[in-house]
Amino acid sequence: MSVKFEFKAGKMISENGKVRPDLRKGKIQIVADESEISHFQWVDPDGKLEDDYIIFPGEFKFSKVVQTKSRVYLLEFGDDKFFYWLQEPNPELDKELCEKVNKAIGNEPKHEEKKIDTSALARVLESLAKPQLIPDLDEILTPEILKSLVDDLTKYPELLDLLPEEQKSKDFLRENLISAQLQQALQVLSGAIRSPGGPAIFSSLGLQGFDSGNSSDPLERLLRAIQSKSDIRKGRK
């Protein structure tokens, strides 16, 4: 992982509806993993990672707790709330740090969203422009796309059946779908499908038609075969 930026901060402990400071010194760091997915982390004085939250842009917020004059800040996403207290020597920089965190976690002013969307669109169009090749699976099944599946599980209840018995929950499914490990696996699968061993992978997945179709890209033939199998299953229901 690569550290984007970090600053000194401690944790707050929640007890009986109240919070009190954990007196240990530590630091908050914003990092990017191997798949360029951002994480919000808190590291203790010995360098041990205690908090690690995968960032979904636009869903996280970092803000000053106005009910106190102390340097207490709140990280919130959904119903989850985590409190920290800043330990940088100059309190006058707290507001600047807060703005920097919000920018890193995607909680930016609305007028900046167009720039972000345009940049993402440019990357997709660049991938699609590759001659005779469609984007790799990790470029198609991005964490954002996979997260949307979890947000509408009523349409895809069979996804839960693919998890181990002790992990059959929406939270575990979300965690698995947006994990860096899955993105790495999709990269490996894309390369394997385009390798000489591609036909064996087709066979192991119970798919037909590796050598059929008009496309010269084995990965496109894989996706078309999956679509055909899905259409057949729906027709049988």
Side-chain angles (χ1 to χ4, degrees):
M1 291 195 177
S2 60
V3 178
K4 294 182 177 180
F5 71 94
E6 60 184 29
F7 53 93
K8 297 175 182 178
K11 294 178 66 174
M12 302 289 289
I13 301 172
S14 298
E15 289 181 342
N16 302 320
K18 298 182 179 180
V19 292
R20 61 177 178 84
D22 180 332
L23 297 181
R24 293 178 298 168
K25 295 183 178 180
K27 64 181 179 180
I28 288 173
Q29 57 187 24
I30 307 296
V31 305
D33 63 22
E34 296 81 359
S35 300
E36 295 302 317
I37 297 174
S38 295
H39 295 241
F40 180 104
Q41 299 179 337
W42 187 80
V43 181
D44 75 3
D46 298 321
K48 179 182 177 183
L49 180 63
E50 288 196 9
D51 294 349
D52 185 7
Y53 307 117
I54 296 176
I55 299 301
F56 301 110
E59 293 192 9
F60 283 69
K61 179 181 179 182
F62 190 71
S63 60
K64 173 75 170 65
V65 177
V66 297
Q67 290 85 351
T68 176
K69 293 182 179 180
S70 299
R71 303 168 69 191
V72 179
Y73 281 74
L74 168 66
L75 175 72
E76 55 184 327
F77 50 101
D79 295 328
D80 296 315
K81 300 179 187 296
F82 301 95
F83 294 88
Y84 301 90
W85 57 288
L86 302 193
Q87 299 172 341
E88 286 290 331
N90 187 356
E92 294 182 0
L93 297 179
D94 288 359
K95 183 179 179 180
E96 181 180 333
L97 277 176
C98 182
E99 292 174 350
K100 194 173 182 179
V101 171
N102 278 300
K103 183 176 181 179
I105 64 179
N107 183 33
E108 300 184 72
K110 295 296 183 181
H111 67 271
E112 297 185 19
E113 292 180 358
K114 185 175 181 180
K115 296 180 181 180
I116 298 172
D117 292 340
T118 302
S119 175
L121 178 60
R123 291 195 298 271
V124 173
L125 292 175
E126 182 181 355
S127 298
L128 292 173
K130 295 178 182 178
Q132 298 182 328
L133 290 178
I134 66 170
D136 288 346
L137 293 176
D138 61 297
E139 297 177 75
I140 299 171
L141 299 174
T142 64
E144 291 77 15
I145 294 295
L146 292 171
K147 176 182 165 296
S148 69
L149 299 181
V150 186
D151 290 340
D152 196 2
L153 260 185
T154 55
K155 292 184 179 179
Y156 312 99
E158 63 271 17
L159 290 178
L160 287 176
D161 296 334
L162 301 177
L163 293 173
E165 195 62 37
E166 65 277 9
Q167 294 186 4
K168 291 186 184 298
S169 72
K170 184 175 179 178
D171 289 339
F172 273 112
L173 180 58
R174 175 184 175 125
E175 181 178 338
N176 279 277
L177 286 177
I178 51 82
S179 68
Q181 290 83 354
L182 178 59
Q183 291 296 304
Q184 292 169 359
L186 291 173
Q187 292 177 12
V188 173
L189 178 58
S190 297
I193 287 294
R194 287 173 170 144
S195 74
I201 297 176
F202 256 65
S203 178
S204 68
L205 294 174
L207 300 173
Q208 302 295 328
F210 185 85
D211 296 320
S212 63
N214 298 324
S215 174
S216 61
D217 185 357
L219 189 55
E220 181 176 349
R221 296 204 294 273
L222 168 72
L223 297 177
R224 292 187 181 278
I226 293 174
Q227 181 64 59
S228 296
K229 185 173 182 178
S230 175
D231 292 341
I232 292 173
R233 289 180 59 189
K234 290 179 181 178
R236 290 174 178 172
K237 292 183 180 180

